[in-house]
PDB file of all heavy atoms in Angstrom:
ATOM      1  N   THR A 400       0.822  -1.207   0.000  1.00 95.00           N
ATOM      2  CA  THR A 400       0.000   0.000   0.000  1.00 95.00           C
ATOM      3  C   THR A 400       0.854   1.255   0.000  1.00 95.00           C
ATOM      4  O   THR A 400       1.998   1.242   0.460  1.00 95.00           O
ATOM      5  CB  THR A 400      -0.920   0.022   1.239  1.00 95.00           C
ATOM      6  OG1 THR A 400      -1.678   1.234   1.257  1.00 95.00           O
ATOM      7  CG2 THR A 400      -0.128  -0.091   2.525  1.00 95.00           C
ATOM      8  N   GLY A 401       0.290   2.313  -0.496  1.00 88.00           N
ATOM      9  CA  GLY A 401       0.898   3.621  -0.332  1.00 88.00           C
ATOM     10  C   GLY A 401       0.468   4.194   1.009  1.00 88.00           C
ATOM     11  O   GLY A 401      -0.248   3.541   1.781  1.00 88.00           O
ATOM     12  N   GLU A 402       0.878   5.414   1.273  1.00 89.00           N
ATOM     13  CA  GLU A 402       0.476   6.068   2.523  1.00 89.00           C
ATOM     14  C   GLU A 402      -0.958   6.559   2.385  1.00 89.00           C
ATOM     15  O   GLU A 402      -1.256   7.404   1.553  1.00 89.00           O
ATOM     16  CB  GLU A 402       1.405   7.239   2.825  1.00 89.00           C
ATOM     17  CG  GLU A 402       2.792   6.820   3.282  1.00 89.00           C
ATOM     18  CD  GLU A 402       3.666   8.025   3.580  1.00 89.00           C
ATOM     19  OE1 GLU A 402       3.851   8.826   2.654  1.00 89.00           O
ATOM     20  OE2 GLU A 402       4.144   8.150   4.711  1.00 89.00           O
ATOM     21  N   THR A 403      -1.833   6.022   3.206  1.00 92.00           N
ATOM     22  CA  THR A 403      -3.231   6.415   3.179  1.00 92.00           C
ATOM     23  C   THR A 403      -3.904   6.043   4.485  1.00 92.00           C
ATOM     24  O   THR A 403      -3.587   5.006   5.093  1.00 92.00           O
ATOM     25  CB  THR A 403      -3.987   5.739   2.011  1.00 92.00           C
ATOM     26  OG1 THR A 403      -5.397   5.960   2.171  1.00 92.00           O
ATOM     27  CG2 THR A 403      -3.739   4.242   1.972  1.00 92.00           C
ATOM     28  N   ASP A 404      -4.836   6.872   4.899  1.00 92.00           N
ATOM     29  CA  ASP A 404      -5.621   6.571   6.084  1.00 92.00           C
ATOM     30  C   ASP A 404      -6.536   5.378   5.833  1.00 92.00           C
ATOM     31  O   ASP A 404      -7.050   4.771   6.768  1.00 92.00           O
ATOM     32  CB  ASP A 404      -6.455   7.794   6.482  1.00 92.00           C
ATOM     33  CG  ASP A 404      -7.070   7.669   7.862  1.00 92.00           C
ATOM     34  OD1 ASP A 404      -6.308   7.617   8.846  1.00 92.00           O
ATOM     35  OD2 ASP A 404      -8.315   7.605   7.958  1.00 92.00           O
ATOM     36  N   GLY A 405      -6.698   5.007   4.555  1.00 92.00           N
ATOM     37  CA  GLY A 405      -7.523   3.863   4.194  1.00 92.00           C
ATOM     38  C   GLY A 405      -6.969   2.536   4.694  1.00 92.00           C
ATOM     39  O   GLY A 405      -7.684   1.529   4.693  1.00 92.00           O
ATOM     40  N   VAL A 406      -5.709   2.525   5.129  1.00 95.00           N
ATOM     41  CA  VAL A 406      -5.128   1.307   5.697  1.00 95.00           C
ATOM     42  C   VAL A 406      -5.905   0.879   6.945  1.00 95.00           C
ATOM     43  O   VAL A 406      -5.866  -0.282   7.353  1.00 95.00           O
ATOM     44  CB  VAL A 406      -3.631   1.530   6.032  1.00 95.00           C
ATOM     45  CG1 VAL A 406      -3.050   0.362   6.809  1.00 95.00           C
ATOM     46  CG2 VAL A 406      -2.835   1.717   4.740  1.00 95.00           C
ATOM     47  N   ARG A 407      -6.651   1.804   7.528  1.00 94.00           N
ATOM     48  CA  ARG A 407      -7.475   1.471   8.700  1.00 94.00           C
ATOM     49  C   ARG A 407      -8.459   0.348   8.385  1.00 94.00           C
ATOM     50  O   ARG A 407      -8.824  -0.447   9.260  1.00 94.00           O
ATOM     51  CB  ARG A 407      -8.241   2.708   9.181  1.00 94.00           C
ATOM     52  CG  ARG A 407      -7.367   3.776   9.802  1.00 94.00           C
ATOM     53  CD  ARG A 407      -8.206   4.950  10.266  1.00 94.00           C
ATOM     54  NE  ARG A 407      -7.357   6.009  10.797  1.00 94.00           N
ATOM     55  CZ  ARG A 407      -6.918   6.057  12.047  1.00 94.00           C
ATOM     56  NH1 ARG A 407      -7.242   5.089  12.897  1.00 94.00           N
ATOM     57  NH2 ARG A 407      -6.170   7.058  12.460  1.00 94.00           N
ATOM     58  N   LEU A 408      -8.918   0.289   7.126  1.00 95.00           N
ATOM     59  CA  LEU A 408      -9.830  -0.777   6.731  1.00 95.00           C
ATOM     60  C   LEU A 408      -9.158  -2.140   6.860  1.00 95.00           C
ATOM     61  O   LEU A 408      -9.762  -3.102   7.361  1.00 95.00           O
ATOM     62  CB  LEU A 408     -10.292  -0.546   5.285  1.00 95.00           C
ATOM     63  CG  LEU A 408     -11.184  -1.631   4.674  1.00 95.00           C
ATOM     64  CD1 LEU A 408     -12.494  -1.735   5.440  1.00 95.00           C
ATOM     65  CD2 LEU A 408     -11.466  -1.322   3.208  1.00 95.00           C
ATOM     66  N   MET A 409      -7.899  -2.226   6.417  1.00 96.00           N
ATOM     67  CA  MET A 409      -7.149  -3.471   6.533  1.00 96.00           C
ATOM     68  C   MET A 409      -6.892  -3.802   8.006  1.00 96.00           C
ATOM     69  O   MET A 409      -6.966  -4.962   8.423  1.00 96.00           O
ATOM     70  CB  MET A 409      -5.824  -3.357   5.778  1.00 96.00           C
ATOM     71  CG  MET A 409      -5.922  -2.771   4.390  1.00 96.00           C
ATOM     72  SD  MET A 409      -6.932  -3.767   3.267  1.00 96.00           S
ATOM     73  CE  MET A 409      -5.689  -4.880   2.592  1.00 96.00           C
ATOM     74  N   ALA A 410      -6.598  -2.761   8.787  1.00 96.00           N
ATOM     75  CA  ALA A 410      -6.338  -2.959  10.209  1.00 96.00           C
ATOM     76  C   ALA A 410      -7.584  -3.480  10.922  1.00 96.00           C
ATOM     77  O   ALA A 410      -7.495  -4.340  11.813  1.00 96.00           O
ATOM     78  CB  ALA A 410      -5.865  -1.654  10.844  1.00 96.00           C
ATOM     79  N   LYS A 411      -8.734  -2.966  10.533  1.00 96.00           N
ATOM     80  CA  LYS A 411      -9.993  -3.411  11.143  1.00 96.00           C
ATOM     81  C   LYS A 411     -10.237  -4.880  10.832  1.00 96.00           C
ATOM     82  O   LYS A 411     -10.633  -5.658  11.728  1.00 96.00           O
ATOM     83  CB  LYS A 411     -11.146  -2.550  10.613  1.00 96.00           C
ATOM     84  CG  LYS A 411     -12.489  -2.863  11.256  1.00 96.00           C
ATOM     85  CD  LYS A 411     -13.562  -1.905  10.765  1.00 96.00           C
ATOM     86  CE  LYS A 411     -14.900  -2.198  11.442  1.00 96.00           C
ATOM     87  NZ  LYS A 411     -15.953  -1.246  10.985  1.00 96.00           N
ATOM     88  N   ALA A 412     -10.005  -5.277   9.587  1.00 96.00           N
ATOM     89  CA  ALA A 412     -10.183  -6.682   9.198  1.00 96.00           C
ATOM     90  C   ALA A 412      -9.214  -7.579   9.962  1.00 96.00           C
ATOM     91  O   ALA A 412      -9.586  -8.665  10.428  1.00 96.00           O
ATOM     92  CB  ALA A 412      -9.985  -6.837   7.695  1.00 96.00           C
ATOM     93  N   ALA A 413      -7.965  -7.135  10.100  1.00 97.00           N
ATOM     94  CA  ALA A 413      -6.960  -7.910  10.815  1.00 97.00           C
ATOM     95  C   ALA A 413      -7.331  -8.076  12.287  1.00 97.00           C
ATOM     96  O   ALA A 413      -7.155  -9.156  12.872  1.00 97.00           O
ATOM     97  CB  ALA A 413      -5.597  -7.243  10.683  1.00 97.00           C
ATOM     98  N   ARG A 414      -7.860  -7.015  12.889  1.00 97.00           N
ATOM     99  CA  ARG A 414      -8.247  -7.085  14.302  1.00 97.00           C
ATOM    100  C   ARG A 414      -9.386  -8.074  14.510  1.00 97.00           C
ATOM    101  O   ARG A 414      -9.374  -8.877  15.450  1.00 97.00           O
ATOM    102  CB  ARG A 414      -8.658  -5.706  14.803  1.00 97.00           C
ATOM    103  CG  ARG A 414      -9.090  -5.703  16.273  1.00 97.00           C
ATOM    104  CD  ARG A 414      -9.593  -4.342  16.696  1.00 97.00           C
ATOM    105  NE  ARG A 414     -10.687  -3.867  15.866  1.00 97.00           N
ATOM    106  CZ  ARG A 414     -11.959  -4.296  15.972  1.00 97.00           C
ATOM    107  NH1 ARG A 414     -12.273  -5.219  16.861  1.00 97.00           N
ATOM    108  NH2 ARG A 414     -12.901  -3.786  15.188  1.00 97.00           N
ATOM    109  N   ILE A 415     -10.393  -8.042  13.638  1.00 95.00           N
ATOM    110  CA  ILE A 415     -11.518  -8.972  13.732  1.00 95.00           C
ATOM    111  C   ILE A 415     -11.037 -10.417  13.571  1.00 95.00           C
ATOM    112  O   ILE A 415     -11.426 -11.318  14.320  1.00 95.00           O
ATOM    113  CB  ILE A 415     -12.582  -8.637  12.670  1.00 95.00           C
ATOM    114  CG1 ILE A 415     -13.226  -7.280  12.975  1.00 95.00           C
ATOM    115  CG2 ILE A 415     -13.638  -9.733  12.583  1.00 95.00           C
ATOM    116  CD1 ILE A 415     -14.154  -6.770  11.890  1.00 95.00           C
ATOM    117  N   LEU A 416     -10.167 -10.637  12.586  1.00 95.00           N
ATOM    118  CA  LEU A 416      -9.672 -11.978  12.291  1.00 95.00           C
ATOM    119  C   LEU A 416      -8.790 -12.514  13.417  1.00 95.00           C
ATOM    120  O   LEU A 416      -8.756 -13.720  13.684  1.00 95.00           O
ATOM    121  CB  LEU A 416      -8.902 -11.951  10.969  1.00 95.00           C
ATOM    122  CG  LEU A 416      -8.845 -13.250  10.144  1.00 95.00           C
ATOM    123  CD1 LEU A 416     -10.237 -13.774   9.867  1.00 95.00           C
ATOM    124  CD2 LEU A 416      -8.109 -12.994   8.838  1.00 95.00           C
ATOM    125  N   GLN A 417      -8.086 -11.609  14.076  1.00 94.00           N
ATOM    126  CA  GLN A 417      -7.174 -12.015  15.141  1.00 94.00           C
ATOM    127  C   GLN A 417      -7.900 -12.696  16.298  1.00 94.00           C
ATOM    128  O   GLN A 417      -7.353 -13.572  16.963  1.00 94.00           O
ATOM    129  CB  GLN A 417      -6.403 -10.792  15.653  1.00 94.00           C
ATOM    130  CG  GLN A 417      -5.288 -11.122  16.635  1.00 94.00           C
ATOM    131  CD  GLN A 417      -4.602  -9.872  17.133  1.00 94.00           C
ATOM    132  OE1 GLN A 417      -5.252  -8.887  17.466  1.00 94.00           O
ATOM    133  NE2 GLN A 417      -3.277  -9.898  17.181  1.00 94.00           N
ATOM    134  N   GLU A 418      -9.146 -12.308  16.522  1.00 93.00           N
ATOM    135  CA  GLU A 418      -9.915 -12.902  17.609  1.00 93.00           C
ATOM    136  C   GLU A 418     -10.156 -14.385  17.391  1.00 93.00           C
ATOM    137  O   GLU A 418     -10.253 -15.163  18.345  1.00 93.00           O
ATOM    138  CB  GLU A 418     -11.257 -12.166  17.748  1.00 93.00           C
ATOM    139  CG  GLU A 418     -11.119 -10.699  18.145  1.00 93.00           C
ATOM    140  CD  GLU A 418     -12.461 -10.009  18.248  1.00 93.00           C
ATOM    141  OE1 GLU A 418     -13.493 -10.728  18.226  1.00 93.00           O
ATOM    142  OE2 GLU A 418     -12.487  -8.763  18.351  1.00 93.00           O
ATOM    143  N   TYR A 419     -10.260 -14.798  16.124  1.00 92.00           N
ATOM    144  CA  TYR A 419     -10.552 -16.196  15.804  1.00 92.00           C
ATOM    145  C   TYR A 419      -9.300 -16.971  15.387  1.00 92.00           C
ATOM    146  O   TYR A 419      -9.204 -18.175  15.631  1.00 92.00           O
ATOM    147  CB  TYR A 419     -11.586 -16.261  14.672  1.00 92.00           C
ATOM    148  CG  TYR A 419     -12.880 -15.560  15.002  1.00 92.00           C
ATOM    149  CD1 TYR A 419     -13.105 -14.238  14.602  1.00 92.00           C
ATOM    150  CD2 TYR A 419     -13.870 -16.201  15.733  1.00 92.00           C
ATOM    151  CE1 TYR A 419     -14.297 -13.588  14.919  1.00 92.00           C
ATOM    152  CE2 TYR A 419     -15.070 -15.563  16.056  1.00 92.00           C
ATOM    153  CZ  TYR A 419     -15.265 -14.253  15.641  1.00 92.00           C
ATOM    154  OH  TYR A 419     -16.439 -13.606  15.964  1.00 92.00           O
ATOM    155  N   TYR A 420      -8.369 -16.275  14.762  1.00 94.00           N
ATOM    156  CA  TYR A 420      -7.166 -16.934  14.245  1.00 94.00           C
ATOM    157  C   TYR A 420      -5.923 -16.138  14.649  1.00 94.00           C
ATOM    158  O   TYR A 420      -5.337 -15.409  13.846  1.00 94.00           O
ATOM    159  CB  TYR A 420      -7.227 -17.058  12.721  1.00 94.00           C
ATOM    160  CG  TYR A 420      -8.480 -17.740  12.221  1.00 94.00           C
ATOM    161  CD1 TYR A 420      -9.498 -16.997  11.607  1.00 94.00           C
ATOM    162  CD2 TYR A 420      -8.665 -19.111  12.382  1.00 94.00           C
ATOM    163  CE1 TYR A 420     -10.653 -17.609  11.157  1.00 94.00           C
ATOM    164  CE2 TYR A 420      -9.819 -19.739  11.932  1.00 94.00           C
ATOM    165  CZ  TYR A 420     -10.815 -18.983  11.326  1.00 94.00           C
ATOM    166  OH  TYR A 420     -11.960 -19.601  10.885  1.00 94.00           O
ATOM    167  N   PRO A 421      -5.503 -16.267  15.898  1.00 94.00           N
ATOM    168  CA  PRO A 421      -4.344 -15.498  16.378  1.00 94.00           C
ATOM    169  C   PRO A 421      -3.027 -15.914  15.727  1.00 94.00           C
ATOM    170  O   PRO A 421      -2.029 -15.218  15.880  1.00 94.00           O
ATOM    171  CB  PRO A 421      -4.336 -15.779  17.887  1.00 94.00           C
ATOM    172  CG  PRO A 421      -5.051 -17.081  18.034  1.00 94.00           C
ATOM    173  CD  PRO A 421      -6.107 -17.095  16.977  1.00 94.00           C
ATOM    174  N   GLY A 422      -3.047 -17.027  14.997  1.00 94.00           N
ATOM    175  CA  GLY A 422      -1.829 -17.481  14.337  1.00 94.00           C
ATOM    176  C   GLY A 422      -1.576 -16.829  12.988  1.00 94.00           C
ATOM    177  O   GLY A 422      -0.595 -17.144  12.315  1.00 94.00           O
ATOM    178  N   ILE A 423      -2.458 -15.906  12.575  1.00 96.00           N
ATOM    179  CA  ILE A 423      -2.257 -15.182  11.310  1.00 96.00           C
ATOM    180  C   ILE A 423      -1.462 -13.914  11.585  1.00 96.00           C
ATOM    181  O   ILE A 423      -1.760 -13.164  12.515  1.00 96.00           O
ATOM    182  CB  ILE A 423      -3.608 -14.825  10.655  1.00 96.00           C
ATOM    183  CG1 ILE A 423      -4.375 -16.098  10.297  1.00 96.00           C
ATOM    184  CG2 ILE A 423      -3.382 -13.979   9.398  1.00 96.00           C
ATOM    185  CD1 ILE A 423      -5.731 -15.844   9.662  1.00 96.00           C
ATOM    186  N   HIS A 424      -0.448 -13.683  10.783  1.00 96.00           N
ATOM    187  CA  HIS A 424       0.410 -12.504  10.937  1.00 96.00           C
ATOM    188  C   HIS A 424       0.368 -11.680   9.648  1.00 96.00           C
ATOM    189  O   HIS A 424       0.173 -12.218   8.555  1.00 96.00           O
ATOM    190  CB  HIS A 424       1.844 -12.923  11.264  1.00 96.00           C
ATOM    191  CG  HIS A 424       1.930 -13.778  12.491  1.00 96.00           C
ATOM    192  ND1 HIS A 424       1.889 -13.269  13.761  1.00 96.00           N
ATOM    193  CD2 HIS A 424       2.029 -15.128  12.625  1.00 96.00           C
ATOM    194  CE1 HIS A 424       1.980 -14.247  14.640  1.00 96.00           C
ATOM    195  NE2 HIS A 424       2.054 -15.398  13.983  1.00 96.00           N
TER     196      HIS A 424
END
């Protein structure tokens, strides 16, 4: 990605997924 506040969308998805699959990095 380039520099963008839109990365928050990816961060939100990663946070949700982390609750179920903490082994994903």
